[in-house]
């Protein structure tokens, strides 16, 4: 009901905006004008828009293409528009009757999208592909293109990485398929498949992105073989164009604060909790305060009514800024696009921040009539100060009766005499705790293209990708890690170098007016090398050196180094065929050879096929004038997965310690068992889709239904300890993912010179199911693997536990004792099998982290240069196992606690158990950790104004836009935490910002 009311509110509120917009009244003296509008073949165009320029006077054509409009007699002009056709401006003069012919807009009809290894006209696409244009990406101010994608693409589930600046989100395309191997999608940037996962796009400034295409079904991803097993995100950056040189600037500055804070107990509430925890038995007496509070600081705070909110002390306002300067242009033979970018975010915790510098040069050069060459050079340097997890951890757990400062104003390291809880303010003192992570990346794909014959071209692309990573850590003596002991420091340096070399041949030709053929062939090789070295030391002679001079340390700690290499070789062929533009066919086959797998199993073949039928172009639908386009699609494809660590088939040893006589010694022990049979994990997807464009483009969208079956899972199977190994990778098990997606776009009001209102809406649903595992019963049927938390018929991550049904009450003494050997005030567990006692057989599936559905809705309003966009994002039906509640709702009266309703003899609640100093964790405390994670979030609101062209031109500019925006402004959820979207202890942030975009 809440969701329905929200949608009604959005629609109703938007309607009120439309109704309240002041519209100029037409003059009283009007002249009637009539006419007919047709296409070039003479067919009437139904629903074409006719407006008097500069007014809100308008009409649309009827079923015969006719219109009537009353215009003013002051030199009127008519603006005639129709989707898919070029607009016209017609001077009326003394004429009162018109015959208007509109020409097809070839640019609109031939709108293209980027597919793997090429482009296609959107109307010819038969695979499941979603697109985001540059305006949709930059509409949300964010450091990452992935975060901008959140909630805007059906079937794509993106979850924030938390409130720590620079944190990467998690992205899943149509759910998960693998239990042990990676479920991350492949990122392809300017045609080059990336080797660094989600980090690949984290180094790209969103303002540099022209478009992002998401390939979701196996027919679309099969051309990437094993790398496309979890979906593909194709990122195309902006390039130059022939014409005048254009200089642009895009920048904003905003202030951030915590989206939400959690309700912890204050001093008086904690004192009451602690008293209750010392009660003598569940119904006995409470000792005196002198017996309960043994710390003089606590007694003093109680006497003075003193309470410390440590959470408030460590949280502050932060800020975020972004600046982007770009230059693009070129001639017929040379086009260029250059940009410099700077992003900086100061977190809401003082020693957490993130900054990034980016530089990009995209250059394309035509050489004679045959050759073309180019480069897409990207350089980036980022620094993330990660901060200490203990800052928030200690802020929440610290006794509110403690004292944070000494009398001289310095930080008091131990707020009470407990000795366990340290002051969170100590973590954020200058140079007390440093975790600095620097990344420098150079990515420079170059290509040369040869137009061999008309329609036949060859392209060779080489894409080197170098990434340097340095992590420096320092922890002073007075931090939670060292607790007054010696300071320590660590240095980690790593480098990864990957390259992709691909040779691509394309042939495209039209045979007459009915037949279009496209052929693609590919040879590709990809290589990756990763090295890391790490040094850790203890007891530095002076702390001011941080981690920059660790050779002076008294104790040399861990020394380690690591090397990892892998290679992938591939061949691919694809054919596209179109008959009369109505019957569409695509087929592909890819062969991949992966060095990660066992010899003899390294190669496999991945086919893909898709069919499309443009029903809207059939003669029997020509009379259905409300249908502009209607396309039915069906596809099938197979993709592989080898996303496991290299050498998993080889076996390995690990260093261990022995007692040689009475002397310690180092030796080696078993670590990984070899598997010479390890082969490909394969996913097979069947997809049905329907694309539609209705009522002259007023409504458009798509419906998708799919099923993905994954076999021969790369499964880390647990082994008995007697084997000497912990686990072994084997091709065992299977999963299945089923889902449906709906995408809708609607132009509710579409007055080009007046008020406009459009809505974009998407919703997705998918289910994960494990269908086979390594374990089987006597009949050979697959059975649950309880030890790993894998269950037949359930999702990959299911929560298996006892179900809390309340708290034992005072009149249930005998029941509590007989069923669970408990007392009143303790958690009551559901007796699932009804045998009268609680045993492991009473555990059930509590829920899954897979949502029932997810999506987003964006309302956009425009009126005479002023625009407003409002974007809501939602996830519904998922279960959260809250690490946050696991650590902050222990009720044993030593550490601070969430302000919850707990049981006492005088407060017989069923919400939470009674405080008990003898139980650091209540029995079955995990049953308190499961929550409905459903939420609706106001993701983005932006109000902008584009200055009129005549004013902008007088300023020597071509565009000037000012805007204000707010993100993560509000959410609705039953899950009480910092943010229902994340399961983290660092609060998410909201931001209010202002910015401008200028083009010269």
């Amino acid at each position: 009901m809440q969701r329905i009311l929200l949608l009604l509110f959005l629609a109703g509120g938007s309607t009120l905006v439309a109704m309240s917009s002041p519209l100029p009244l037409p003059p009283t003296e009007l002249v009637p004008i009539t006419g007919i509008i047709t296409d070039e073949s003479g067919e009437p165009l139904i629903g074409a828009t006719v407006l008097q320029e500069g007014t809100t006077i308008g009409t649309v054509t009827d079923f015969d293409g006719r219109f009537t409009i009353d215009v003013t007699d002051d030199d009127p002009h008519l603006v005639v528009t129709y989707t898919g056709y070029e607009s016209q401006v017609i001077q009326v003069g003394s004429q009162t009757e018109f015959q208007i012919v509109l020409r097809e807009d070839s640019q609109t009809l031939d709108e293209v999208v980027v597919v793997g290894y090429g482009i296609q006209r959107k109307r010819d696409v038969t695979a499941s592909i979603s697109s985001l244009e540059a305006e949709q990406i930059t509409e949300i101010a964010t450091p990452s293109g992935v975060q901008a994608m959140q909630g805007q693409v059906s079937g794509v589930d993106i979850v924030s990485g938390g409130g720590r600046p620079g944190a990467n989100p998690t992205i899943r395309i149509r759910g998960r398929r693998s239990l042990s191997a990676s479920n991350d999608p492949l990122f392809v940037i300017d045609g080059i498949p990336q080797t660094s996962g989600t980090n690949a796009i984290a180094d790209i400034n969103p303002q540099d992105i022209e478009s992002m295409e998401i390939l979701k079904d196996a027919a679309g991803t099969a051309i990437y073989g094993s790398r496309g097993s979890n979906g593909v995100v194709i990122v195309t950056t902006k390039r130059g164009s022939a014409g005048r040189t254009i200089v642009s600037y895009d920048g904003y500055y905003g202030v951030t604060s915590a989206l939400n804070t959690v309700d912890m107990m204050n001093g008086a509430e904690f004192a009451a909790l602690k008293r209750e925890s010392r009660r003598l038995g569940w119904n006995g007496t409470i000792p005196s305060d002198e017996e309960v509070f043994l710390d003089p600081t606590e007694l003093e705070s109680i006497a003075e009514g003193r309470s410390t909110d440590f959470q408030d002390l460590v949280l502050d306002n932060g800020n975020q800024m972004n600046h982007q300067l770009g230059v693009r242009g070129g001639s017929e033979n040379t086009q260029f696009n250059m940009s410099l970018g700077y992003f900086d975010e100061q977190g809401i915790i003082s020693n957490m921040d993130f900054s990034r510098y980016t530089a990009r040069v995209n250059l394309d050069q035509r050489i004679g009539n045959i050759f073309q060459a180019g480069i897409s050079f990207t350089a980036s340097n980022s620094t993330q100060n990660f901060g200490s997890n203990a800052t928030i951890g200690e802020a929440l757990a610290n006794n509110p009766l403690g004292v944070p400062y000494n009398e001289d104003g310095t930080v008091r390291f131990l707020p009470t005499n407990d000795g366990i809880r340290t002051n969170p303010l100590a973590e954020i003192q200058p140079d007390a705790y440093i975790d600095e992570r620097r990344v420098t990346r150079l990515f420079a794909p170059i290509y040369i293209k040869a137009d061999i014959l008309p329609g036949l071209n060859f392209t060779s692309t080489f894409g080197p990708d170098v990434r340097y990573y340095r992590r420096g850590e320092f922890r002073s003596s007075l931090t939670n890690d060292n607790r007054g002991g010696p300071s320590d420091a660590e240095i980690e340096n790593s480098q990864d170098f990957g390259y992709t070399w691909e040779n691509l041949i394309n042939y495209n030709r039209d045979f007459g007016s009915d037949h279009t053929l496209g052929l693609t062939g590919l040879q590709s090789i990809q290589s990756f090398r990763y090295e890391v070295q790490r040094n850790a030391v203890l007891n530095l002679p002076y702390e001011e050196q941080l981690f920059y001079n660790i050779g002076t340390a008294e104790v040399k700690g861990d020394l380690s180094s690591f090397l990892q290499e892998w290679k992938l070789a591939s061949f691919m062929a694809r054919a596209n065929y179109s008959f009369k533009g109505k019957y569409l066919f695509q087929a592909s086959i890819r062969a991949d050879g992966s060095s990660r797998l066992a010899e003899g199993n390294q190669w496999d073949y991945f086919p893909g096929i898709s069919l499309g039928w443009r029903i809207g172009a059939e003669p029997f639908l020509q009379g259905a004038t409300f249908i502009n386009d209607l396309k039915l699609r069906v596809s099938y494809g197979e993709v592989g997965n080898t996303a496991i660590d290299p050498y998993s088939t080889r076996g390995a040893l690990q260093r261990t310690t022995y007692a040689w006589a009475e002397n310690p010694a180092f030796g080696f022990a078993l670590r990984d068992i070899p598997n010479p049979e390890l082969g490909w994990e394969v996913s097979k997807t069947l997809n049905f889709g329907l694309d539609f464009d209705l009522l002259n483009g007023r409504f458009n969208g798509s419906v998708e239904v799919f099923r993905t079956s994954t076999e021969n899972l790369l499964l880390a199977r647990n082994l008995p300890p007697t084997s000497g190994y912990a686990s072994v990778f084997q091709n065992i098990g299977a999963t299945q993912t089923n889902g449906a997606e709906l995408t809708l776009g609607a132009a509710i009001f579409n007055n080009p010179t007046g008020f406009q209102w459009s809505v974009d809406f998407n919703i997705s649903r998918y289910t994960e199911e494990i269908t086979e595992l390594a374990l089987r019963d006597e009949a050979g049927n697959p059975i649950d693997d309880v030890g790993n938390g894998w269950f037949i018929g359930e999702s990959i991550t299911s929560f298996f536990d006892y179900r809390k049904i309340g708290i034992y009450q005072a009149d249930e003494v005998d029941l509590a004792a007989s069923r669970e050997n408990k007392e009143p005030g303790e958690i009551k567990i559901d007796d699932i099998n009804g045998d009268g006692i609680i045993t492991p057989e009473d555990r059930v599936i509590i829920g899954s982290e897979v949502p029932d559905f997810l999506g987003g809705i964006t309302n956009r309003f425009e009126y005479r240069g002023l625009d407003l966009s409002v974007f809501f994002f939602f996830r519904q039906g998922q279960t959260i196992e809250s690490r946050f509640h696991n650590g902050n709702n222990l009720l044993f009266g030593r550490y601070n606690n969430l302000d919850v309703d707990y049981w006492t003899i005088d407060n017989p609640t069923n919400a939470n158990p009674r405080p008990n100093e003898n139980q650091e964790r209540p029995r079955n405390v995990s049953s308190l950790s499961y929550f409905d994670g459903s939420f609706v979030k106001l993701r983005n609101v932006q109000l902008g104004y584009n200055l009129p062209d005549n004013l902008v031109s007088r300023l020597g500019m071509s565009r000037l836009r000012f805007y204000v925006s707010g993100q993560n402004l509000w959410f609705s959820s039953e899950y009480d935490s910092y943010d229902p979207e994340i399961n983290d202890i660092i609060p998410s942030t909201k931001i209010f910002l202002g910015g401008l975009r200028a083009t010269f």
Side-chain angles (χ1 to χ4, degrees), residues 302-339:
I302 292 172
E304 296 180 3
R306 184 172 58 198
S307 178
T308 302
D309 186 346
F310 286 95
Q311 182 181 202
D312 182 64
L313 289 177
V314 300
L315 295 180
D316 201 351
N317 287 336
N319 59 76
Q320 187 181 115
M321 71 173 72
N322 186 74
H323 302 282
Q324 168 92 352
L325 182 64
V327 182
R328 68 180 186 275
S331 63
E332 290 298 322
N333 290 326
T334 305
Q335 290 93 43
F336 64 89
N337 182 66
M338 300 182 293
S339 68

Side-chain angles (χ1 to χ4, degrees), residues 406-451:
N406 296 310
E407 292 183 0
D408 61 359
T410 59
V411 170
R412 182 176 176 178
F413 186 61
L414 297 176
T416 65
N417 294 319
D418 181 275
I420 296 296
R421 299 267 73 97
T422 62
N423 195 331
L425 293 171
E427 304 295 303
I428 58 176
Q429 296 304 298
D431 294 337
Y433 189 107
I434 296 177
D435 185 349
E436 184 185 81
R437 307 178 183 193
R438 290 183 177 270
V439 176
T440 301
R441 184 181 180 210
L442 300 174
F443 176 55
I446 56 176
Y447 76 90
I448 184 167
K449 179 180 178 182
D451 295 321

Side-chain angles (χ1 to χ4, degrees), residues 629-644:
D629 199 8
L630 188 66
K631 179 171 62 179
L632 181 66
R633 298 179 279 105
V634 60
S635 66
Y636 173 81
E638 299 181 6
V639 289
N641 191 353
T642 63
I644 58 174

Side-chain angles (χ1 to χ4, degrees), residues 334-352:
T334 305
Q335 290 93 43
F336 64 89
N337 182 66
M338 300 182 293
S339 68
L340 293 173
Y342 172 66
F343 176 87
D344 181 81
E345 180 177 4
Q346 170 59 57
I348 57 176
I349 297 174
S350 61
N351 64 348
M352 296 183 184

Side-chain angles (χ1 to χ4, degrees), residues 939-989:
R939 181 75 172 87
N940 187 65
V941 177
Q942 185 175 110
L943 177 65
Y945 180 67
N946 296 295
L947 269 67
D949 292 342
N950 57 355
L951 177 58
V952 171
S953 61
R954 274 183 265 159
L955 298 174
M957 307 168 68
S958 59
R959 186 190 183 199
L960 181 59
R961 171 179 172 79
F962 297 94
Y963 61 92
V964 291
S965 179
Q967 295 178 29
N968 289 344
L969 301 182
W970 168 88
F971 70 83
S972 175
S973 176
E974 296 179 2
Y975 175 49
D976 181 22
S977 72
Y978 285 121
D979 186 346
E981 183 183 342
I982 64 172
N983 197 2
D984 192 14
I985 64 170
I986 305 300
S988 291
T989 58

Side-chain angles (χ1 to χ4, degrees), residues 157 170-187 197-198 227-232 641-644 681 683 708 710 713-714 735 737 768 796-797 849:
D157 189 7
T170 299
I171 174 171
R172 296 288 178 260
I173 298 178
R174 291 185 166 180
R176 298 167 297 183
R177 300 152 185 82
S178 186
L179 275 68
S180 299
S182 172
N183 285 288
D184 290 336
L186 170 71
F187 288 90
T198 309
R227 292 176 294 187
S229 59
N230 299 307
V232 179
N641 191 353
T642 63
I644 58 174
E681 177 179 293
S683 295
T708 299
T710 303
L713 295 180
L714 291 167
T735 62
T737 305
E768 299 174 353
I796 291 173
T797 302
E849 64 182 23

Side-chain angles (χ1 to χ4, degrees), residues 517-520 573-577 585-588:
L517 177 66
L519 299 174
T520 301
R574 178 177 63 194
N576 292 287
Y577 173 70
F585 169 82
Q586 176 178 297
S588 66

